[in-house]
Amino acid sequence: EPEVTQTPSHQVTQMGQEVILRCVPISNHLYFYWYRQILGQKVEFLVSFYNNEISEKSEIFDDQFSVERPDGSNFTLKIRSTKLEDSAMYFCASGGETYEQYFGPGTRLTVT
Amino acid sequence: AQSVTQPDIHITVSEGASLELRCNYSYGATPYLFWYVQSPGQGLQLLLKYFSGDTLVQGIKGFEAEFKRSQSSFNLRKPSVHWSDAAEYFCAACTTSGTYKYIFGTGTRLKVLA
Protein backbone atom coordinates (compact mmCIF):
# COMPACT_ATOMS: atom_id res chain seq x y z
CA GLU A 1 0.00 0.00 0.00
CA PRO A 2 1.41 3.43 -0.89
CA GLU A 3 2.42 5.61 2.00
CA VAL A 4 3.68 9.06 2.80
CA THR A 5 7.28 9.15 3.94
CA GLN A 6 9.12 11.86 5.85
CA THR A 7 12.77 12.54 6.50
CA PRO A 8 14.46 12.92 8.83
CA SER A 9 12.57 11.23 11.63
CA HIS A 10 14.28 13.46 14.17
CA GLN A 11 16.04 16.76 13.61
CA VAL A 12 17.91 18.70 16.26
CA THR A 13 18.89 22.24 15.43
CA GLN A 14 20.07 25.37 17.18
CA MET A 15 17.89 28.42 17.52
CA GLY A 16 18.25 30.70 14.52
CA GLN A 17 19.23 27.94 12.12
CA GLU A 18 17.31 27.01 9.00
CA VAL A 19 15.75 23.58 8.71
CA ILE A 20 14.14 21.77 5.84
CA LEU A 21 11.74 18.96 6.51
CA ARG A 22 11.13 16.60 3.64
CA CYS A 23 8.13 14.59 2.62
CA VAL A 24 7.37 12.26 -0.25
CA PRO A 25 3.59 12.22 -0.75
CA ILE A 26 1.65 9.44 -2.42
CA SER A 27 2.42 9.71 -6.10
CA ASN A 28 -0.99 10.41 -7.65
CA HIS A 29 -2.21 12.74 -4.91
CA LEU A 30 -3.01 16.36 -5.64
CA TYR A 31 -3.34 17.98 -2.22
CA PHE A 32 -0.46 18.37 0.19
CA TYR A 33 -0.42 19.54 3.78
CA TRP A 34 1.78 20.25 6.73
CA TYR A 35 0.56 20.00 10.29
CA ARG A 36 2.38 20.31 13.56
CA GLN A 37 1.86 18.93 17.03
CA ILE A 38 3.56 20.54 19.97
CA LEU A 39 4.28 17.95 22.66
CA GLY A 40 1.12 17.09 24.55
CA GLN A 41 -1.11 19.25 22.39
CA LYS A 42 -3.42 18.75 19.47
CA VAL A 43 -2.48 18.54 15.83
CA GLU A 44 -2.65 21.95 14.14
CA PHE A 45 -2.97 22.79 10.47
CA LEU A 46 -0.11 24.82 9.02
CA VAL A 47 -0.54 24.98 5.27
CA SER A 48 -2.17 23.34 2.29
CA PHE A 49 -0.68 23.20 -1.19
CA TYR A 50 -2.46 22.50 -4.44
CA ASN A 51 -1.59 23.06 -8.06
CA ASN A 52 1.89 24.25 -7.12
CA GLU A 53 0.78 27.01 -4.84
CA ILE A 54 -0.36 27.57 -1.29
CA SER A 55 -4.13 27.25 -1.11
CA GLU A 56 -4.51 28.06 2.57
CA LYS A 57 -2.28 28.81 5.51
CA SER A 58 -2.88 29.24 9.19
CA GLU A 59 -1.82 32.08 11.47
CA ILE A 60 1.08 29.91 12.61
CA PHE A 61 2.49 29.85 9.08
CA ASP A 62 4.25 33.21 9.15
CA ASP A 63 7.09 34.55 7.00
CA GLN A 64 9.55 32.18 8.66
CA PHE A 65 7.86 29.24 6.98
CA SER A 66 7.80 28.27 3.34
CA VAL A 67 6.80 25.22 1.34
CA GLU A 68 7.96 23.91 -1.96
CA ARG A 69 7.42 21.04 -4.29
CA PRO A 70 10.75 21.28 -6.04
CA ASP A 71 10.73 18.25 -8.29
CA GLY A 72 7.20 16.93 -8.56
CA SER A 73 7.73 14.25 -5.94
CA ASN A 74 9.12 15.86 -2.81
CA PHE A 75 7.23 18.34 -0.68
CA THR A 76 9.30 20.39 1.72
CA LEU A 77 8.69 22.65 4.68
CA LYS A 78 11.41 25.20 5.40
CA ILE A 79 11.73 27.13 8.61
CA ARG A 80 14.06 30.02 7.96
CA SER A 81 15.20 30.90 11.46
CA THR A 82 14.06 28.42 14.06
CA LYS A 83 12.81 29.43 17.48
CA LEU A 84 12.46 27.35 20.61
CA GLU A 85 8.70 27.32 20.15
CA ASP A 86 9.07 25.63 16.77
CA SER A 87 9.96 22.42 18.60
CA ALA A 88 7.21 20.02 17.65
CA MET A 89 6.30 16.97 15.61
CA TYR A 90 5.66 17.96 12.01
CA PHE A 91 3.35 15.80 9.95
CA CYS A 92 3.09 15.82 6.21
CA ALA A 93 -0.12 14.60 4.60
CA SER A 94 -1.33 14.10 1.07
CA GLY A 95 -4.81 13.62 -0.30
CA GLY A 96 -6.47 12.49 -3.47
CA GLU A 97 -10.00 12.91 -4.67
CA THR A 98 -11.75 11.41 -1.66
CA TYR A 99 -10.62 14.10 0.80
CA GLU A 100 -9.04 11.46 2.99
CA GLN A 101 -5.56 12.53 3.98
CA TYR A 102 -2.75 10.09 4.45
CA PHE A 103 -0.29 11.13 7.10
CA GLY A 104 3.40 10.49 7.22
CA PRO A 105 5.10 9.22 10.37
CA GLY A 106 6.26 12.71 11.31
CA THR A 107 9.52 14.54 11.90
CA ARG A 108 10.31 15.46 15.45
CA LEU A 109 12.03 18.85 15.43
CA THR A 110 13.94 19.87 18.53
CA VAL A 111 15.25 23.43 18.69
CA THR A 112 17.88 24.05 21.34
CA ALA B 1 -15.47 29.45 13.36
CA GLN B 2 -15.04 25.79 12.55
CA SER B 3 -14.11 23.65 15.51
CA VAL B 4 -13.91 20.12 16.81
CA THR B 5 -14.41 19.45 20.50
CA GLN B 6 -13.46 16.41 22.50
CA PRO B 7 -14.88 17.05 25.97
CA ASP B 8 -12.94 14.31 27.73
CA ILE B 9 -9.21 14.87 28.14
CA HIS B 10 -8.61 11.58 29.96
CA ILE B 11 -10.67 8.41 30.16
CA THR B 12 -9.85 5.31 32.16
CA VAL B 13 -11.60 2.01 31.57
CA SER B 14 -11.00 -1.56 32.64
CA GLU B 15 -9.93 -4.11 30.10
CA GLY B 16 -13.00 -5.76 28.63
CA ALA B 17 -15.26 -2.83 29.40
CA SER B 18 -17.03 -0.84 26.72
CA LEU B 19 -15.74 2.52 25.56
CA GLU B 20 -17.25 5.67 24.15
CA LEU B 21 -15.20 8.72 23.23
CA ARG B 22 -17.09 11.86 22.47
CA CYS B 23 -16.59 14.24 19.60
CA ASN B 24 -18.65 17.28 18.62
CA TYR B 25 -18.11 19.52 15.64
CA SER B 26 -19.14 23.00 14.70
CA TYR B 27 -19.21 23.65 10.98
CA GLY B 28 -21.50 25.54 8.64
CA ALA B 29 -22.31 22.33 6.78
CA THR B 30 -21.77 18.71 7.70
CA PRO B 31 -18.06 18.03 7.37
CA TYR B 32 -16.24 14.84 6.65
CA LEU B 33 -15.31 13.22 9.95
CA PHE B 34 -12.43 11.05 11.06
CA TRP B 35 -11.02 9.31 14.10
CA TYR B 36 -7.27 8.80 14.48
CA VAL B 37 -5.27 6.99 17.11
CA GLN B 38 -1.77 7.94 18.19
CA SER B 39 0.49 5.83 20.38
CA PRO B 40 3.23 7.67 22.31
CA GLY B 41 5.88 9.05 19.98
CA GLN B 42 4.13 7.63 16.95
CA GLY B 43 2.25 8.99 13.98
CA LEU B 44 -1.46 9.13 13.30
CA GLN B 45 -3.33 6.01 12.33
CA LEU B 46 -6.76 6.34 10.75
CA LEU B 47 -9.39 4.31 12.60
CA LEU B 48 -12.43 5.22 10.54
CA LYS B 49 -14.04 7.92 8.48
CA TYR B 50 -17.47 9.25 7.62
CA PHE B 51 -18.25 10.92 4.33
CA SER B 52 -21.94 10.20 3.81
CA GLY B 53 -24.49 7.39 3.86
CA ASP B 54 -24.84 4.94 6.72
CA THR B 55 -24.41 6.87 9.95
CA LEU B 56 -22.79 3.93 11.73
CA VAL B 57 -19.31 3.33 10.36
CA GLN B 58 -17.01 0.46 11.10
CA GLY B 59 -13.30 0.88 11.42
CA ILE B 60 -10.20 -1.07 12.21
CA LYS B 61 -9.37 -2.75 15.50
CA GLY B 62 -13.05 -3.29 16.31
CA PHE B 63 -13.93 0.40 16.56
CA GLU B 64 -17.11 1.97 15.26
CA ALA B 65 -18.49 5.48 15.26
CA GLU B 66 -21.94 6.92 14.90
CA PHE B 67 -22.68 10.18 13.16
CA LYS B 68 -25.60 12.12 14.63
CA ARG B 69 -26.45 15.22 12.66
CA SER B 70 -28.95 16.48 15.22
CA GLN B 71 -26.28 16.46 17.93
CA SER B 72 -23.34 17.44 15.69
CA SER B 73 -21.57 14.45 17.11
CA PHE B 74 -19.38 11.62 15.90
CA ASN B 75 -18.69 9.44 18.91
CA LEU B 76 -16.26 6.55 18.82
CA ARG B 77 -17.18 3.26 20.45
CA LYS B 78 -15.71 -0.13 21.15
CA PRO B 79 -17.65 -2.91 22.88
CA SER B 80 -14.68 -4.46 24.67
CA VAL B 81 -11.42 -2.61 25.22
CA HIS B 82 -8.05 -4.33 25.09
CA TRP B 83 -4.96 -3.17 26.97
CA SER B 84 -3.33 -2.37 23.61
CA ASP B 85 -6.00 0.27 22.96
CA ALA B 86 -4.33 2.60 25.45
CA ALA B 87 -3.35 5.61 23.35
CA GLU B 88 -4.48 9.10 22.42
CA TYR B 89 -7.50 9.43 20.19
CA PHE B 90 -8.13 12.40 17.95
CA CYS B 91 -11.32 13.34 16.20
CA ALA B 92 -10.88 15.42 13.05
CA ALA B 93 -13.10 17.11 10.50
CA CYS B 94 -12.68 18.73 7.15
CA THR B 95 -14.90 20.80 4.93
CA THR B 96 -16.42 19.25 1.83
CA SER B 97 -15.03 22.00 -0.38
CA GLY B 98 -12.04 24.30 -0.52
CA THR B 99 -8.72 23.09 0.79
CA TYR B 100 -10.04 20.14 2.83
CA LYS B 101 -7.76 21.05 5.70
CA TYR B 102 -8.32 18.98 8.80
CA ILE B 103 -9.26 20.51 12.12
CA PHE B 104 -8.42 18.25 15.02
CA GLY B 105 -9.91 18.02 18.46
CA THR B 106 -7.68 18.28 21.48
CA GLY B 107 -7.57 14.53 21.91
CA THR B 108 -8.66 12.03 24.55
CA ARG B 109 -6.03 10.01 26.33
CA LEU B 110 -7.27 6.51 27.05
CA LYS B 111 -5.88 4.50 29.92
CA VAL B 112 -6.78 0.82 30.22
CA LEU B 113 -6.66 -0.93 33.58
CA ALA B 114 -5.74 -4.61 33.63
Side-chain angles (χ1 to χ4, degrees):
Chain A
E1 186 177 328
E3 58 183 19
V4 176
T5 59
Q6 290 184 243
T7 55
S9 56
H10 191 191
Q11 173 92 45
V12 181
T13 189
Q14 289 190 325
M15 199 166 48
Q17 296 296 304
E18 174 183 288
V19 294
I20 297 176
L21 309 183
R22 291 182 167 79
C23 168
V24 179
I26 294 173
S27 61
N28 61 346
H29 281 182
L30 303 174
Y31 301 89
F32 311 104
Y33 308 84
W34 283 100
Y35 295 82
R36 80 168 186 192
Q37 183 183 32
I38 293 172
L39 187 64
Q41 298 186 24
K42 70 175 179 179
V43 179
E44 301 173 287
F45 168 78
L46 288 178
V47 66
S48 60
F49 193 84
Y50 171 73
N51 202 24
N52 285 319
E53 60 182 20
I54 291 174
S55 46
E56 186 174 352
K57 58 184 180 180
S58 71
E59 292 176 353
I60 303 167
F61 195 88
D62 61 23
D63 292 343
Q64 294 298 313
F65 291 88
S66 62
V67 290
E68 205 176 35
R69 193 158 154 76
D71 56 11
S73 60
N74 291 285
F75 180 50
T76 62
L77 174 69
K78 182 193 291 186
I79 308 175
R80 224 176 310 280
S81 177
T82 50
K83 305 173 204 161
L84 293 176
E85 54 264 37
D86 293 327
S87 295
M89 181 77 94
Y90 288 81
F91 291 105
C92 172
S94 69
E97 295 177 355
T98 62
Y99 320 122
E100 178 181 343
Q101 292 179 26
Y102 293 77
F103 285 81
T107 292
R108 180 165 297 285
L109 176 65
T110 302
V111 182
T112 62
Chain B
Q2 299 163 342
S3 67
V4 175
T5 303
Q6 292 180 246
D8 305 304
I9 298 174
H10 296 279
I11 282 187
T12 300
V13 298
S14 298
E15 192 170 18
S18 64
L19 172 71
E20 182 168 29
L21 304 183
R22 296 183 290 164
C23 172
N24 294 95
Y25 63 88
S26 176
Y27 272 71
T30 300
Y32 297 131
L33 296 159
F34 309 86
W35 274 100
Y36 286 85
V37 61
Q38 184 181 40
S39 298
Q42 301 299 309
L44 299 163
Q45 182 180 25
L46 178 68
L47 287 175
L48 45 76
K49 58 187 182 252
Y50 174 77
F51 289 162
S52 65
D54 194 345
T55 56
L56 185 64
V57 293
Q58 303 297 319
I60 62 171
K61 303 186 179 188
F63 285 93
E64 66 178 28
E66 185 171 14
F67 168 67
K68 292 185 177 179
R69 186 189 305 273
S70 61
Q71 297 177 19
S72 298
S73 69
F74 187 56
N75 293 348
L76 182 72
R77 300 195 294 244
K78 187 169 185 178
S80 177
V81 169
H82 188 262
W83 64 266
S84 60
D85 293 324
E88 184 128 29
Y89 291 80
F90 290 96
C91 181
C94 81
T95 53
T96 58
S97 62
T99 64
Y100 313 117
K101 71 176 183 188
Y102 280 21
I103 293 178
F104 284 83
T106 49
T108 298
R109 183 167 297 279
L110 174 66
K111 183 176 178 180
V112 180
L113 301 176

